[in-house]
């Protein structure tokens, strides 16, 4: 609710029919991962055709534009600008014509050695037209394919050069590949359709196309998706993973299953853990719609305190995610969230939010509840305090923006005007997800990074080049 912004989502389909409409549908399902721009690229048997533009999927990919392209293999992308600017120029898929034909690439994540590599290659005469790290990847691929003459070898060589987070849908002419970084920071899943296979950032898109989940792409794995099957080019050694824990807490859809753990279930577990770690003597537990709903249900189940809907969301208010800046978004969020007076009046209320970045939205909501007659307002938070920036594709770039960096929990409680405030512990969120803590990225809450970043503490050795 008051958490960080999403980043990007990718999809790729190879099937026995024209996949354009399916790509568009899948992108609508993962629209929450990026609302700045959207695009699709399909291979028609000769060339790759692309339609992309700024805006939501339905605006960027209108019927009159996508009905002009067709192909049985294609990729798609929704984008929230992280590295690189906003707008149509940085919309993806990005395409390039090489001596081996056309390449189209859709990328979710951020490379951490982008500037370094870009400087090196510019020194060698490479030309870049955008500030996007995706352009760097596609440039490197084009170079490597020239040297190796083999797409898979070229992909592996590029993976050994780049660092950071990347889940990629890549098309080289009509060949479709899914690629996940060696730590598996961003999700990527393989699905089976009636007449083909697909890859996507979230499993909910597979279900929306009537498909079944096959499995997650393994960290460090390259999969080639065909109509009949898929071929795996796996890394030969298992290293510690670093799945972004925020996918479960906030980013992903509740109906998605990521690395074997259903998001809705994890969020309910978080509520349960919060009820044990920070119990409260209140009359009711209330979600902040929509993302805090499962957290609140879990808290209610564990504590036995009744669950009630106390905020009504105006679904027809301005869309907060297309507001130009954080301040405008926060104002709009509080405008469209109205307390239900009969639920709130005279009650001791506990609300659960998924995360706190600056705390300004939460402060407004607490005040609105008091104005509606709440006797007490207690706040619980489904992620530990955010104290460190994310270098892996999330819009949390500097320490200054985090309220938890400047204030103690009690000071934050006072700033937001709550009667009590409790964050889930790091151990608690690990327990709720159910994976090993050493297989999760928790860098924004413990400041220990899974890749080497200058000036930051490095958690463990993970480079793909070190795998034999
Ligand atoms: S730093 Fe935080 S938001 Fe970024 S990948 Fe790691 S856990 Fe996710």
């Amino acid at each position: 609710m008051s958490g960080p912004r999403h980043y990007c989502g990718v999809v790729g389909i190879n099937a026995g029919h024209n996949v354009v409409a399916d790509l568009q549908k899948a992108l609508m399902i993962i629209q929450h991962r990026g609302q700045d721009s959207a695009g699709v690229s399909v291979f028609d048997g000769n060339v790759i055709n692309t339609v992309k533009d700024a805006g939501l999927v339905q605006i960027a990919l209108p019927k009159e534009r996508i009905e002009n392209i067709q192909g049985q293999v294609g990729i798609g992308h929704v984008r929230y600008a992280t590295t690189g600017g906003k707008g149509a120029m940085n919309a993806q898929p990005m395409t390039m014509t090489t001596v081996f034909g056309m390449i189209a690439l859709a990328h979710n994540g951020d490379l951490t050695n982008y500037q370094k590599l870009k400087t090196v290659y510019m020194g060698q005469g490479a030309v870049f037209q955008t500030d996007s790290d995706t352009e760097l990847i596609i440039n490197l691929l084009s170079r490597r394919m020239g040297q190796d003459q083999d797409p898979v070898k070229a992909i592996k060589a590029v993976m050994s050069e780049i660092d950071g987070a990347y889940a990629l849908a890549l098309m080289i002419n009509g060949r479709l590949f899914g690629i996940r970084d060696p730590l598996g920071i961003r999700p990527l899943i393989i699905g089976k359709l009636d007449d083909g296979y697909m890859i996507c950032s979230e499993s909910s898109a597979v279900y929306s196309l009537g498909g079944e989940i096959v499995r997650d792409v393994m960290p460090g794995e390259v999969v080639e998706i065909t109509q009949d099957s898929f071929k795996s080019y796996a890394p030969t050694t298992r290293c510690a993973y670093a799945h972004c824990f925020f996918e479960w807490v906030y980013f992903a859809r509740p109906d998605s299953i990521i690395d074997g753990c259903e998001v809705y279930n994890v969020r309910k577990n978080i509520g349960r853990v919060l009820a044990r770690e920070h119990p409260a003597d209140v009359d009711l537990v209330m979600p902040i719609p929509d993302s805090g709903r499962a957290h609140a249900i879990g808290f209610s189940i564990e504590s036995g305190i009744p669950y009630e809907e106390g905020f009504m969301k105006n679904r027809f208010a301005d869309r907060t995610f297309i507001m130009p800046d954080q301040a405008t978004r926060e104002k709009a969020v509080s405008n469209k969230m109205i307390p239900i007076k009969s639920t709130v009046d005279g009650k001791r209320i506990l609300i659960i939010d998924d995360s706190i970045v600056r705390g300004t939205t939460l402060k407004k909501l607490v005040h609105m509840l008091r104005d509606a007659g709440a006797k007490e307002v207690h706040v619980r938070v489904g992620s530990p305090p955010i104290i460190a920036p994310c270098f892996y594709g999330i819009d949390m770039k500097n320490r200054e923006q985090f309220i938890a960096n400047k204030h103690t929990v009690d000071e934050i409680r006072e700033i937001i005007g709550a009667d009590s405030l409790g964050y889930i512990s790091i151990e608690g969120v690990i327990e709720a997800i159910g994976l090993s803590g050493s297989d999760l990225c928790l860098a924004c809450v413990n400041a220990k990074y899974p890749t080497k970043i200058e000036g930051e503490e490095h958690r463990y050795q993970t480079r793909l080049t070190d795998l034999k």
Side-chain angles (χ1 to χ4, degrees):
M1 170 70 206
S2 49
R5 293 201 69 190
H6 304 150
Y7 35 115
C8 297
V10 301
V11 59
I13 303 175
N14 195 345
H17 61 276
N18 180 11
V19 297
V20 175
D22 284 351
L23 289 169
Q24 186 200 37
K25 188 172 177 187
L27 290 178
M28 282 199 254
I29 295 292
I30 57 167
Q31 180 80 82
H32 59 285
R33 299 183 76 88
Q35 297 91 34
D36 284 339
S37 64
V40 293
S41 292
V42 285
F43 181 68
D44 69 3
N46 291 306
V47 293
I48 291 174
N49 294 301
T50 298
V51 174
K52 58 182 179 177
D53 213 335
L56 301 173
V57 174
Q58 276 159 310
I59 294 162
L61 306 174
K63 188 169 172 279
E64 59 275 17
R65 288 187 71 195
I66 59 166
E67 67 189 7
N68 293 326
I69 59 169
Q70 57 178 308
Q72 297 191 344
V73 52
I75 63 172
H77 189 260
V78 284
R79 179 165 197 266
Y80 168 61
T82 51
T83 298
K86 286 187 172 197
M89 188 174 170
N90 281 297
Q92 296 189 25
M94 223 167 241
T95 54
M96 182 177 268
T97 303
T98 72
V99 283
F100 297 96
M102 294 186 76
I103 304 177
L105 180 64
H107 173 203
N108 172 205
D110 265 4
L111 300 187
T112 48
N113 60 347
Y114 163 64
Q115 286 299 346
K116 202 166 137 193
L117 286 177
K118 187 175 175 181
T119 307
V120 169
Y121 284 103
M122 281 175 83
Q124 296 173 12
V127 177
F128 295 92
Q129 293 181 328
T130 69
D131 290 326
S132 160
D133 53 357
T134 311
E135 188 185 15
L136 174 75
I137 300 175
I138 207 167
N139 250 296
L140 294 180
L141 270 170
S142 167
R143 277 174 168 251
R144 288 292 185 168
M145 278 169 56
Q147 288 163 18
D148 297 321
Q149 312 275 310
D150 173 348
V152 177
K153 262 193 190 164
I155 292 167
K156 293 267 183 185
V158 172
M159 289 172 79
S160 71
E161 264 192 283
I162 58 178
D163 247 342
Y166 52 92
L168 306 174
L170 167 71
M171 204 165 45
I172 302 173
N173 292 320
R175 290 179 75 179
L176 173 63
F177 296 93
I179 301 155
R180 199 171 177 196
D181 67 69
L183 303 179
I185 298 175
R186 296 281 152 247
L188 194 63
I189 197 154
I190 305 167
K192 183 178 181 331
L193 304 172
D194 279 350
D195 60 350
Y197 281 81
M198 68 182 286
I199 41 163
C200 192
S201 297
E202 290 191 31
S203 59
S204 45
V206 176
Y207 291 133
S208 82
L209 297 182
E212 291 162 23
I213 293 173
V214 177
R215 66 168 172 82
D216 294 277
V217 176
M218 289 183 291
E221 184 184 24
V222 177
V223 288
E224 180 166 5
I225 304 290
T226 63
Q227 273 180 30
D228 308 322
S229 184
F230 62 92
K231 184 168 182 186
S232 166
Y233 303 91
T236 48
T237 306
R238 156 86 158 80
C239 59
Y241 300 154
H243 307 311
C244 169
F245 88 98
F246 247 118
E247 289 284 352
W248 289 281
V249 171
Y250 176 64
F251 297 140
R253 283 172 57 112
D255 54 345
S256 284
I257 300 168
I258 296 176
D259 293 304
C261 307
E262 188 193 66
V263 175
Y264 181 79
N265 202 34
V266 170
R267 289 184 189 163
K268 243 170 51 178
N269 290 344
I270 286 172
R272 284 175 172 273
V273 174
L274 272 170
R276 291 198 296 271
E277 291 187 344
H278 300 286
D281 186 13
V282 292
D283 301 315
L284 54 97
V285 180
M286 253 175 59
I288 298 178
D290 293 313
S291 53
R293 211 162 249 141
H295 300 107
I297 290 169
F299 194 106
S300 170
I301 292 169
E302 186 71 20
S303 63
I305 298 167
Y307 168 97
E308 291 243 25
E309 293 278 344
F311 272 117
M312 193 63 217
K313 196 172 172 183
N314 179 6
R315 298 186 187 284
F316 303 102
D318 290 338
R319 288 169 180 276
T320 55
F321 49 70
I322 52 173
M323 300 283 166
D325 54 58
Q326 182 69 19
T328 320
R329 281 198 296 276
E330 280 162 1
K331 190 163 179 283
V333 164
S334 60
N335 285 345
K336 75 174 183 182
M337 208 70 82
I338 316 281
I340 300 172
K341 202 163 167 47
S342 62
T343 307
V344 170
D345 198 13
K347 305 275 179 35
R348 297 170 302 160
I349 291 165
L350 185 138
I351 54 173
I352 307 195
D353 207 350
D354 40 63
S355 56
I356 306 181
V357 179
R358 295 174 179 83
T360 40
T361 309
L362 204 45
K363 182 178 173 180
K364 281 191 182 118
L365 293 174
V366 171
H367 284 188
M368 284 164 72
L369 289 173
R370 290 204 191 281
D371 288 347
K375 235 170 37 186
E376 292 173 20
V377 182
H378 301 260
V379 176
R380 300 294 178 266
V381 190
S383 71
I386 300 170
I387 53 163
C390 176
F391 299 96
Y392 307 118
I394 305 304
D395 187 25
M396 305 193 296
K397 298 291 183 206
N398 67 70
R399 284 181 161 77
E400 290 312 298
Q401 73 194 106
F402 307 128
I403 192 169
N405 249 341
K406 299 173 231 160
H407 299 282
T408 63
V409 173
D410 197 49
E411 285 168 350
I412 297 169
R413 179 199 60 73
E414 209 172 318
I415 291 166
I416 63 174
D419 291 283
S420 73
L421 171 65
Y423 289 87
I424 195 167
S425 65
I426 291 180
E427 299 70 36
V429 87
I430 293 169
E431 179 196 329
I433 293 169
L435 295 176
S436 157
S438 62
D439 279 342
L440 294 172
C441 178
L442 295 150
C444 51
V445 296
N446 69 8
K448 292 177 185 146
Y449 289 85
T451 65
K452 281 181 187 157
I453 291 167
E454 217 176 296
E456 302 288 354
E457 188 178 337
H458 183 211
R459 195 178 78 187
Y460 41 67
Q461 165 57 316
T462 52
R463 280 186 62 92
L464 189 62
T465 40
D466 298 321
L467 302 178
K468 293 284 180 272

